[in-house]
């Protein structure tokens, strides 16, 4: 049975007022199993890793609008970047809007600045998320000098065929989704040699646990991706991000 969709005109004076209003709605609270309010915590900042390219650090200063190296990153961002720069595969799990994007954008851009042939592949589940990531990436990249700016390109089912050859040639950071990787790229990997042979990073955002046949399909697409990279002589690092999974180390 389909339950009716409830709509409320929430007061916007404050978050607390909105929460108080919801708790007074009997129809809403009947579907709430638990309610917990976490206390506010002071932000914990860390220095940018010393090994991070100085050009990227300066771009990050301008991007964030701060002059203090110590306040550029949160601790989880600094730890994730350091681990990636050491060559480790990383899974970052933190709340929504907690800055996971920089955890992979920084090591990816560092790699591309140090190797003019390096490539990165971002696998994103929705077009909206891909658009958001492209905007965020370009916002940071625009603070680099013209000669250091890697080309960011999107490749999905809506990409015009007239542009696909150019994207294959130009893209140093390619944003796509698992379905397009499965149907449009891996079967035609010889057209993507410049990407797969020089792939240094694969970013998965959001990473989830998929069950059943669909989960098996996604897992096998990632296995095929690794085999194709190995075939072309590459062994990319993986950086995964999620705001929801509870067992990142096991996953």
């Amino acid at each position: 049975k389909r339950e009716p969709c409830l709509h409320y005109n929430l007061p916007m004076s404050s978050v607390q007022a909105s929460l108080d209003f919801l708790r007074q709605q009997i129809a809403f609270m009947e579907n709430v199993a638990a309610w917990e309010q976490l206390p506010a915590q002071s932000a914990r900042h860390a220095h940018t890793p010393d090994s991070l390219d100085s050009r990227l650090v300066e771009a990050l200063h301008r991007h964030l609008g701060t002059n203090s190296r110590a306040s550029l990153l949160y601790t989880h961002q600094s730890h994730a970047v350091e681990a990636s720069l050491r060559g480790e595969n990383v899974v970052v799990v933190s709340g929504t809007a907690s800055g996971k994007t920089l955890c992979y954008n920084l090591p990816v851009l560092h790699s591309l600045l140090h190797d003019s042939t390096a490539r990165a592949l971002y696998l994103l589940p929705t077009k909206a998320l891909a658009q958001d990531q492209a905007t965020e990436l370009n916002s940071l990249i625009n603070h680099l000098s013209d000669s250091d700016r890697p080309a960011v390109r999107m490749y999905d089912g809506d990409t015009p065929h007239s542009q696909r050859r150019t994207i294959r040639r130009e893209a140093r950071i390619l944003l796509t989704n698992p379905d397009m990787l499965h149907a449009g790229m891996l079967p035609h990997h010889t057209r993507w040699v410049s990407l797969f042979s020089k792939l240094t990073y694969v970013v998965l955002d959001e990473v989830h646990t998929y069950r059943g046949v669909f989960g098996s399909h996604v897992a096998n697409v990632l296995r095929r991706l690794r085999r194709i990279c190995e075939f072309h002589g590459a062994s990319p690092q993986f950086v995964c991000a999620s705001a929801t999974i509870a067992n990142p180390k096991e996953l």
Side-chain angles (χ1 to χ4, degrees), residues 95-243:
T96 302
S98 59
K100 290 186 290 295
T101 300
L102 280 179
C103 293
Y104 47 79
N105 280 351
L106 291 179
V108 165
L109 291 174
H110 174 92
S111 174
L112 270 58
L113 285 172
H114 279 252
D115 182 354
S116 61
T117 66
R119 301 289 189 272
L121 177 66
Y122 284 44
L123 295 177
L124 308 156
T126 66
K127 289 177 65 67
L129 182 57
Q131 292 282 359
D132 289 344
Q133 291 298 333
T135 299
E136 181 68 18
L137 255 174
N138 283 315
S139 178
L140 177 56
I141 288 172
N142 286 338
H143 291 290
L144 293 168
S145 65
D146 291 344
S147 60
D148 291 330
R149 295 176 185 175
V152 178
R153 299 290 184 266
M154 294 183 60
Y155 190 78
D156 56 34
D158 292 329
T159 302
H161 285 273
S162 60
Q163 298 178 13
R164 297 189 178 190
R165 179 178 296 180
T166 302
I167 290 173
R168 287 196 295 269
R169 183 178 67 253
E170 293 181 350
R172 297 197 63 202
I173 301 178
L174 185 72
L175 283 66
T176 188
N177 55 69
D179 182 65
M180 195 65 178
L181 178 66
H182 162 68
M185 295 177 62
L186 294 180
H188 312 289
H189 61 91
T190 54
R191 299 179 183 177
W192 292 90
V193 173
S194 60
L195 174 74
F196 291 128
S197 64
K198 299 297 182 180
L199 196 60
T200 57
Y201 275 99
V202 175
V203 173
L204 297 173
D205 184 11
E206 296 260 347
V207 60
H208 297 283
T209 301
Y210 292 127
R211 300 181 183 277
V213 173
F214 180 68
S216 298
H217 286 175
V218 174
N220 282 321
V221 166
L222 294 177
R223 293 187 180 103
R224 286 170 57 208
L225 170 62
R226 295 181 67 183
R227 288 202 305 271
I228 291 296
C229 290
E230 183 179 0
F231 176 81
H232 289 288
S235 180
Q237 289 176 241
F238 280 73
V239 182
C240 307
S242 175

Side-chain angles (χ1 to χ4, degrees), residues 2-8:
R2 183 181 295 274
E3 296 294 333
C5 182
L6 302 177
H7 297 275
Y8 301 110

